[in-house]
Amino acid sequence: MKCESCNKKYATVHLTEIVGNVKKERHLCEECAQSVNTQIAKVPSPTEILTNLINQVAPGINELSKIICPVCGLSYLEFRSHGRLGCPMDYTVFRKGLIPLLEKMHGSVQHVGKVPSRAGKELIKKNELMQLRNELNKAIEKEDYERAAELRDKIYEISGDNDENK
Amino acid sequence: MMKISDLADNTGEWLRGTGPESDIVISSRIRLARNVAKYPFLSRANAKQKKELEELIRTKIEEAEVYPTLNYINLSELSSVDRLFLVERHLISKEHAEGEKERGVAFEKSENISVMVNEEDHIRIQVIRSGLELRETWKTIDDIDNKLERKINYAYSSQFGYLTACPTNVGTGMRASVMLHLPALGMTHHIEKVFNAVMKLGLVVRGLYGEGTQVSGDLYQISNQFTLGKSETEIIEIIEGVIPRITSYERMARKALISESREQLEDRVWRSYGMLKVARMISSEEIMHLLSQVRMGVNLGIINDIKMKTLNELFILTLPGHLQKLEGRELTSSQRNIIRALYVRKRLEKIETLKG
């Protein structure tokens, strides 16, 4: 069978088009088929198909894939394709995506092991400050200004060298 | 600074073949992954940051007096053969050897302790011991970690624990592994059963050099997969609980082999021993197999003129990096096969003359 477009080469591509209820068959050679193909409705690329699918199935993932860490510049998509995080902050920035991932990997999302004593000290400090502030509020309510001043000085003293954790 | 060739004459203490269950358990190893707060992980760090980190960690290791005699080697100054040598010694990981820019390793003379700087994580502490000694190993590494942590502000979150470059390590940042020699389970095709049982406990089985390496010489590493949600001691308890069951299973398989086909087993062991003594070319794969057979033969009392330590060492000393270090030049694989056979023959001849 010859190609119906150029009528020179053999038809090796056989297309079936359905327009409405009418079925139309076309027999083309490789070259002509290619030029026809580009005219036929634009076929979406695999990425487009995937993106569409993702949007339909889980719109959240698309939102997530747009997130970029302001500290190291890594995008969530890059993380998912390489499996490596860029900086400690990513655990906070990509939290939403990481939680189900960690759950799958470890069967848990809460650390229960060792605590660095440094972090421990800061935790203790934080707790202490919280308690002192509560006491201070109570002292002010009771109009015990002498006690309040004492507490205020103590709070300053403890938090003074630790601006980050106020 | 120390030279790599200073190491070539001997091997690490963890190959001595001592400690609990050491007929089957070659070694126990724990590593901790740690990162310095306020720095990007290494995949996002630029050359300047890598240099800063290397300098910072190197000095802090010194200041912390982690161990009185730690040697520090800058890997970016080493040849590829030297780096391969350190991988074979289990002092650095493959990734660390193949890494880029400023990175190094501090290790103790006995080679029980090593601290990798700028690996996948900023800091990877590792402790290895001979035999099944995970608890002791944990005590040592916990102490080193405490000392370092007084000097270095680690990246840590109260929810996710120690923050690591790969989320598979986050939490404890700990990988505890035990290296086992299981020839009889392999021979009797029971090894699959062991793997299935182990996997149900959330543990993984790997080859001699960890992740992605092939199993050879019937040597297997069993380690924890999860690092989040369980404490370090809980993880160790899970591994320590399962290992004695595997070792007794291996011993049972060996007993069965002896009672059912003693001659066949003895023949296999002696042939392997003979091959090591006479062969003129041995590939790295073949030697693993031969050494594995002989090692089992020694354990079963079939062969009694060779020490466990010698056999354990030969597994490492006949690896490509070691042979090239020994010869002091790069070798093709067929050249290595000749040198390997020669080296083993010499080591075994020494035993013969000592006997005479």
Side-chain angles (χ1 to χ4, degrees):
Chain A
M1 192 190 287
K2 287 264 169 77
C3 169
E4 60 180 50
S5 173
C6 63
N7 235 336
K8 284 174 199 157
K9 290 185 184 166
Y10 280 104
T12 52
V13 180
H14 310 281
L15 295 171
T16 309
E17 266 182 283
I18 297 170
V19 183
N21 283 327
V22 189
K23 193 171 145 195
K24 199 174 145 197
E25 287 192 3
R26 304 185 68 183
H27 308 282
L28 304 162
C29 71
E30 197 99 12
E31 274 170 48
C32 294
Q34 255 174 20
S35 62
V36 168
N37 248 346
T38 48
Q39 286 165 22
I40 296 177
K42 194 176 150 255
V43 182
S45 72
T47 343
E48 281 173 313
I49 295 172
L50 209 67
T51 321
N52 279 335
L53 207 69
I54 287 171
N55 279 339
Q56 282 168 22
V57 178
I61 294 174
N62 195 34
E63 281 302 299
L64 214 57
S65 67
K66 284 183 195 149
I67 300 175
I68 291 173
C69 172
V71 177
C72 69
L74 186 81
S75 75
Y76 183 73
L77 221 57
E78 277 176 283
F79 157 59
R80 286 314 297 266
S81 63
H82 297 116
R84 296 284 181 281
L85 291 160
C87 74
M89 189 49 100
D90 291 351
Y91 280 95
T92 312
V93 181
F94 302 149
R95 189 192 160 84
K96 214 174 156 192
L98 274 168
I99 294 277
L101 210 63
L102 292 171
E103 178 72 54
K104 226 194 218 161
M105 276 175 195
H106 303 283
S108 165
V109 292
Q110 178 59 54
H111 175 59
V112 286
K114 199 172 167 177
V115 177
S117 63
R118 193 188 288 260
K121 267 181 214 157
E122 278 173 13
L123 272 178
I124 293 163
K125 213 187 230 178
K126 246 186 204 169
N127 288 342
E128 206 176 343
L129 278 173
M130 238 153 57
Q131 261 177 3
L132 286 171
R133 286 203 189 101
N134 283 343
E135 273 182 59
L136 177 66
N137 286 341
K138 271 182 208 156
I140 292 168
E141 264 172 43
K142 279 193 221 154
E143 297 184 3
D144 183 352
Y145 297 112
E146 206 176 320
R147 173 86 183 128
E150 237 176 76
L151 286 166
R152 185 200 58 204
D153 291 346
K154 219 172 177 180
I155 289 169
Y156 278 150
E157 193 186 315
I158 292 173
S159 60
D161 61 321
N162 190 20
D163 287 354
E164 284 172 338
N165 284 300
K166 254 184 212 167
Chain B
M1 200 182 103
M2 69 155 322
K3 276 186 277 172
I4 300 291
S5 43
D6 297 344
L7 297 173
D9 302 334
N10 43 50
T11 55
E13 247 176 47
W14 60 274
L15 284 165
R16 279 179 312 186
T18 55
E21 311 250 16
S22 60
D23 54 334
I24 291 165
V25 181
I26 306 236
S27 62
S28 303
R29 169 181 170 270
I30 298 181
R31 76 113 170 91
L32 295 175
R34 300 287 186 254
N35 286 279
V36 181
K38 290 173 187 155
Y39 272 93
F41 296 137
L42 287 154
S43 61
R44 301 294 287 186
N46 58 35
K48 187 177 157 266
Q49 287 166 322
K50 282 183 189 173
K51 201 168 168 6
E52 275 174 27
L53 280 164
E54 193 267 344
E55 228 172 85
L56 174 92
I57 300 164
R58 175 164 38 83
T59 21
K60 294 298 176 188
I61 291 172
E62 257 168 56
E63 281 175 27
E65 290 177 346
V66 170
Y67 210 82
T69 52
L70 281 191
N71 294 300
Y72 187 84
I73 291 182
N74 190 329
L75 292 185
S76 60
E77 290 164 7
L78 288 191
S79 69
S80 60
V81 170
D82 282 350
R83 293 197 306 258
L84 178 62
F85 178 91
L86 293 176
V87 173
E88 291 173 357
R89 280 306 250 266
H90 289 260
L91 287 172
I92 63 172
S93 66
K94 242 178 157 169
E95 298 74 43
H96 203 207
E98 290 157 7
E100 279 174 357
K101 304 284 180 209
E102 295 302 316
R103 62 203 196 284
V105 59
F107 61 93
E108 180 226 356
K109 205 173 160 231
S110 71
E111 297 178 32
N112 285 346
I113 298 167
S114 84
V115 185
M116 288 174 249
V117 180
N118 286 358
E119 203 244 21
E120 179 184 292
D121 294 294
H122 299 153
I123 304 166
R124 288 251 174 131
I125 313 166
Q126 174 190 272
V127 176
I128 314 185
R129 272 171 201 273
S130 183
L132 184 58
E133 292 269 26
L134 279 179
R135 274 158 219 266
E136 283 304 306
T137 309
W138 167 247
K139 267 188 211 158
T140 310
I141 204 164
D142 186 31
D143 180 54
I144 296 169
D145 184 47
N146 288 340
K147 281 179 181 164
L148 269 182
E149 183 243 308
R150 273 179 222 131
K151 301 282 172 186
I152 299 172
N153 199 359
Y154 286 153
Y156 182 88
S157 105
S158 54
Q159 178 172 9
F160 298 128
Y162 294 91
L163 303 178
T164 52
C166 184
T168 53
N169 294 320
V170 78
T172 58
M174 181 180 88
R175 185 90 54 222
S177 63
V178 172
M179 201 198 290
L180 298 161
H181 182 224
L182 306 172
L185 287 176
M187 243 185 261
T188 53
H189 307 288
H190 285 293
I191 200 84
E192 293 292 326
K193 283 183 204 162
V194 174
F195 292 171
N196 290 337
V198 159
M199 274 186 294
K200 276 185 197 138
L201 291 168
L203 305 176
V204 273
V205 184
R206 297 190 172 110
L208 180 54
Y209 283 88
E211 217 167 327
T213 59
Q214 225 191 322
V215 169
S216 60
D218 303 300
L219 296 172
Y220 302 87
Q221 280 199 72
I222 292 180
S223 57
N224 60 303
Q225 190 155 36
F226 44 81
T227 52
L228 192 62
K230 286 204 167 59
S231 75
E232 291 83 354
T233 38
E234 277 177 296
I235 294 170
I236 287 167
E237 270 166 23
I238 291 171
I239 300 177
E240 286 224 315
V242 75
I243 297 298
R245 278 189 272 159
I246 300 174
T247 52
S248 66
Y249 197 17
E250 166 70 18
R251 284 192 197 99
M252 261 166 53
R254 290 180 185 185
K255 261 189 204 148
L257 279 174
I258 290 181
S259 64
E260 283 160 27
S261 48
R262 184 173 196 106
E263 286 78 13
Q264 268 181 327
L265 184 73
E266 285 185 348
D267 183 60
R268 270 176 98 143
V269 167
W270 281 111
R271 272 171 187 270
S272 299
Y273 197 21
M275 200 73 94
L276 288 174
K277 285 180 179 171
V278 299
R280 259 47 183 175
M281 284 179 91
I282 310 179
S283 72
S284 51
E285 204 178 313
E286 189 184 5
I287 200 150
M288 285 291 202
H289 173 72
L290 297 175
L291 288 170
S292 168
Q293 300 286 313
V294 174
R295 193 178 189 277
M296 179 175 60
V298 172
N299 280 333
L300 291 175
I302 298 172
I303 297 173
N304 45 35
D305 62 351
I306 181 165
K307 275 189 201 146
M308 197 48 75
K309 177 175 181 273
T310 313
L311 276 172
N312 285 352
E313 281 180 346
L314 281 174
F315 273 105
I316 305 291
L317 294 171
T318 56
L319 289 166
H322 274 74
L323 292 176
Q324 294 179 80
K325 211 59 214 159
L326 198 74
E327 282 292 292
R329 64 189 168 104
E330 282 192 34
L331 302 168
T332 64
S333 94
S334 62
Q335 283 172 326
R336 287 202 297 269
N337 293 348
I338 297 168
I339 305 285
R340 182 176 294 119
L342 183 70
Y343 180 74
V344 174
R345 227 157 57 229
K346 271 193 190 155
R347 280 290 294 249
L348 297 182
E349 264 166 27
K350 240 187 242 167
I351 296 167
E352 295 280 303
T353 47
L354 280 178
K355 253 199 320 187

